[in-house]
Amino acid sequence: MSTPKNPARLLKRNVTTPIPDIRDLQVAVVGAGFGGIGMGVALRRAGIHRFAIYEKSTEVGGVWRDNTYPGCNCDVPSHLYSFAFAPYRNRHTRYPGQREILAYLRRVADERGLAPHLQLDTAISEATYIEDEGRWELITAAGQRVVADVVIFAVGQLHRPNLPEIPGRADFAGPSFHTARWDHETKLHGLDVAMIGTGSSAAQILPTLAATAPRVRVFQRTPHWVLPKPTIEFGLLARTALLAPGAHHIYRQALYYGADALFAPIMRRGWSAHPAEWVARRYLRRAVDDAVLRAKLTPGYPIGGKRIILDNDYYRTLTHANVELIAEPITRITRDGLMTADGGHHSADAIIYATGFKAPEFLMPVIVRGRGGVQLHDQWHAGATAFLGMAVSGYPNAFLIAGPNSFNPAGSNPAMKEHQIDWIIKCLRWRERTGAAAIEVTEQAMRFHQRWLEQAIGKTVWPIAGTSWYKHSSGAITNPWPASARTYERILRHHPPSDCFRAVP
Ligand code: N01
């Protein structure tokens, strides 16, 4: 496979020719966000070169390509929110912005030679295991057929916007859009804006909206817990220290262990969350003088029940004269506003849906058929499950990155994905050593893991907290990892593929 003259250009447009024979891939990766890019780099490093990365969009970057709303940034420090193999180079800012992360991902894909492997603008709509061959057949949305020994889904959890079915939504006459589909053509200056939802995205957008719109009405269904974000710019001392050999690695490790020690205990029931809850309550008291507004913003469930918002401006902006927090449930959307359960009508020129993602619907809308033609989504009707978030019994040679119960709410998800990528490479090597066409996680390993997972989830605050994207409509907790990142790493180390996989006859 020849390397094109300017691989960077290929990262931004449809690439249809560089893969010589799409009927004969070793690996097909689906998705070109952090997971897909990291997997591609690892495959090359492992000497696997006949692979393609299928991406539905015309660019790499995943959620960092999709989310372009004003103020979009990351609440995990950049030195940790990056691949260990590609150190983050900005020594000035602790928290990266959306553009920086997207530029970082493009650069990694470019510098690590992924351009010839990228099949952009190519959505995979079906994946079927061919039993006689021990391989996978993928069908693209355009009807193209691809056959690969192994399929790796790296589509992430937060990529399908949730547009709530509120009666009258289609009647609204003004502009309306979801945070992850920001309409940059619509100028919101001078418009009265209604924003539905109060999660991390809403918190990041609100200061910009409030600075330009005459009136912003924020519709809150449930308050989220908010913690202040530590200082954002590195001082001269820190910048100089980060120049020292090995300093980046030491800082990254400190952040990794620090996040585990500080945030993972918050998710557990009992006293370990008390200090964080105390800090959050004190922060709210200091930021909001108005007792009525404070009462509306005080959650009635334990901290960590939903993803905690780390932000310094959200509460402060809610106290501005042109911002109103409405905690009454929305009953209907009209031509020119929103109605609430108390009978109020709140006029609006534009509506922003900061209503999150269909996170528990893993792999949708791809139809995945395993052994015996069984459909994965039928099997997952009451909530998705997978062995360590990566493999499902009955689906040989198929892997997931960021699959069920592997989102780390307490630290870095790129770091979690790197652990998964390393482990998947181990599985591929083991498959090669056994000489089997296909390998599959055993039902026993799945059952054992699921029992452990349910016990661990039972000790967290999630089952007793209300709605969140961590939960399937059945009530099952399907998205977050219920322990520390180190525990995940340790479990993977103690579970070599030979212990939990079998060769498929
Ligand atoms: O979405 P969310 P998000 N009527 O699901 C409300 C990551 N992220 O886009 O809480 C009325 O958190 C819903 O109400 P409730 C991060 O992991 C990371 O803000 O369900 N309201 C909630 O308030 C984050 O957790 C960064 O009662 C409705 C809101 O919409 C994840 O993305 C930055 C409703 C949705 O909040 C998702 O965040 C931004 C309805 N029918 C995001 N349906 C970083 O910094 C939903 N809501 C890394």
Side-chain angles (χ1 to χ4, degrees):
M1 201 178 301
S2 67
T3 306
K5 277 194 183 122
N6 184 357
R9 281 184 53 230
L10 291 178
L11 302 178
K12 291 187 191 156
R13 65 172 174 80
N14 188 8
V15 182
T16 49
T17 46
I19 302 295
D21 185 355
I22 55 165
R23 285 160 299 162
D24 189 24
L25 291 175
Q26 287 168 289
V27 181
V29 180
V30 185
F34 259 105
I37 291 174
M39 193 71 237
V41 173
L43 287 171
R44 277 175 60 95
R45 218 188 289 133
I48 297 171
H49 292 283
R50 247 181 323 110
F51 72 91
I53 303 174
Y54 293 91
E55 167 55 54
K56 67 182 178 198
S57 179
T58 52
E59 242 208 287
V60 302
V63 293
W64 298 105
R65 173 204 58 227
D66 291 346
N67 286 272
T68 60
Y69 58 77
C72 183
N73 70 88
C74 185
D75 57 13
V76 179
S78 49
H79 288 75
L80 188 56
Y81 202 84
S82 46
F83 295 117
F85 66 79
Y88 189 76
R89 292 173 192 156
N90 190 336
R91 291 182 305 107
H92 297 273
T93 317
R94 191 190 297 253
Y95 295 99
Q98 172 263 336
R99 283 186 195 177
E100 263 177 284
I101 303 173
L102 183 57
Y104 168 82
L105 285 171
R106 281 181 189 150
R107 197 173 60 234
V108 172
D110 183 2
E111 290 177 357
R112 303 284 165 156
L114 296 190
H117 300 274
L118 285 167
Q119 296 284 302
L120 302 176
D121 205 9
T122 309
I124 298 297
S125 52
E126 288 179 42
T128 305
Y129 180 63
I130 316 166
E131 289 195 45
D132 315 342
E133 299 176 26
R135 309 179 79 203
W136 282 84
E137 178 192 67
L138 309 185
I139 306 291
T140 71
Q144 203 178 13
R145 182 173 179 266
V146 177
V147 177
D149 296 341
V150 171
V151 62
I152 301 171
F153 293 101
V155 298
Q157 298 191 1
L158 299 165
H159 64 114
R160 295 178 63 234
N162 167 43
L163 277 175
E165 294 302 326
I166 301 172
R169 181 157 63 84
D171 300 340
F172 186 67
S176 65
F177 46 87
H178 188 272
T179 50
R181 299 288 180 271
W182 197 266
D183 177 0
H184 292 275
E185 298 301 308
T186 298
K187 299 296 167 225
L188 294 172
H189 296 68
L191 301 186
D192 282 354
V193 180
M195 179 164 66
I196 306 177
T198 53
S200 305
S201 303
Q204 292 184 350
I205 292 164
L206 185 62
T208 312
L209 278 187
T212 52
R215 173 157 286 282
V216 183
R217 292 192 170 92
V218 180
F219 290 82
Q220 172 186 274
R221 188 165 65 178
T222 326
H224 289 236
W225 285 100
V226 182
L227 284 171
K229 205 168 163 177
T231 31
I232 287 167
E233 297 299 319
F234 289 125
L236 182 65
L237 192 67
R239 287 209 301 273
T240 314
L242 280 169
L243 284 175
H248 167 87
H249 178 70
I250 294 167
Y251 180 54
R252 183 183 166 92
Q253 289 303 96
L255 289 169
Y256 182 80
Y257 290 113
D260 259 8
L262 276 177
F263 288 106
I266 298 177
M267 319 297 160
R268 286 201 285 274
R269 283 187 215 185
W271 65 267
S272 63
H274 290 178
E277 198 165 312
W278 180 81
V279 173
R281 284 184 194 280
R282 193 179 67 143
Y283 176 52
L284 175 57
R285 259 196 322 275
R286 290 188 170 181
V288 179
D289 281 338
D290 178 349
V292 177
L293 178 58
R294 231 177 21 238
K296 282 187 195 173
L297 288 168
T298 304
Y301 58 90
I303 191 164
K306 297 176 196 279
R307 186 150 188 288
I308 297 166
I309 297 173
L310 285 179
D311 191 274
N312 294 333
D313 300 316
Y314 177 59
Y315 280 158
R316 188 180 49 76
T317 312
L318 282 169
T319 66
H320 289 188
N322 66 332
V323 179
E324 186 183 357
L325 182 78
I326 295 166
E328 283 292 323
I330 302 165
T331 49
R332 162 166 288 281
I333 295 178
T334 64
R335 241 186 92 68
D336 58 353
L338 296 90
M339 304 219 30
T340 44
D342 57 356
H345 181 264
H346 310 273
S347 63
D349 299 319
I351 299 180
I352 311 249
Y353 291 93
T355 42
F357 300 87
K358 296 178 176 175
E361 297 178 6
F362 287 86
L363 299 192
M364 285 292 271
V366 186
I367 298 167
V368 183
R369 299 182 193 90
R371 273 194 295 112
V374 175
Q375 287 204 24
L376 189 54
H377 288 113
D378 290 344
Q379 210 168 317
W380 280 352
H381 67 96
T385 54
F387 179 71
L388 289 159
M390 287 185 283
V392 183
S393 180
Y395 300 80
N397 284 1
F399 297 92
L400 293 109
I401 297 171
N405 294 108
S406 70
F407 174 88
N408 179 6
S412 161
N413 279 288
M416 287 292 274
K417 287 173 187 173
E418 278 196 278
H419 295 322
Q420 299 184 329
I421 288 164
D422 288 349
W423 196 80
I424 291 170
I425 292 286
K426 277 187 193 160
C427 292
L428 299 186
R429 291 216 171 101
W430 184 72
R431 171 177 160 266
E432 215 174 274
R433 279 202 300 279
T434 59
I439 57 166
E440 176 187 353
V441 66
T442 64
E443 281 178 22
Q444 193 195 5
M446 282 275 293
R447 266 200 309 275
F448 182 80
H449 172 63
Q450 201 53 31
R451 260 203 311 273
W452 178 87
L453 196 68
E454 278 161 21
Q455 276 172 13
I457 287 172
K459 292 178 191 155
T460 69
V461 291
W462 304 322
I464 54 170
T467 56
S468 79
W469 63 263
Y470 294 174
K471 254 183 203 170
H472 186 268
S473 53
S474 67
I477 308 291
T478 47
N479 293 65
W481 169 245
S484 67
R486 267 180 309 156
T487 304
Y488 191 72
E489 208 183 331
R490 231 181 355 252
I491 292 176
L492 290 185
R493 223 183 6 253
H494 293 141
H495 280 80
S498 54
D499 276 9
C500 37
F501 273 75
R502 68 180 186 99
V504 178

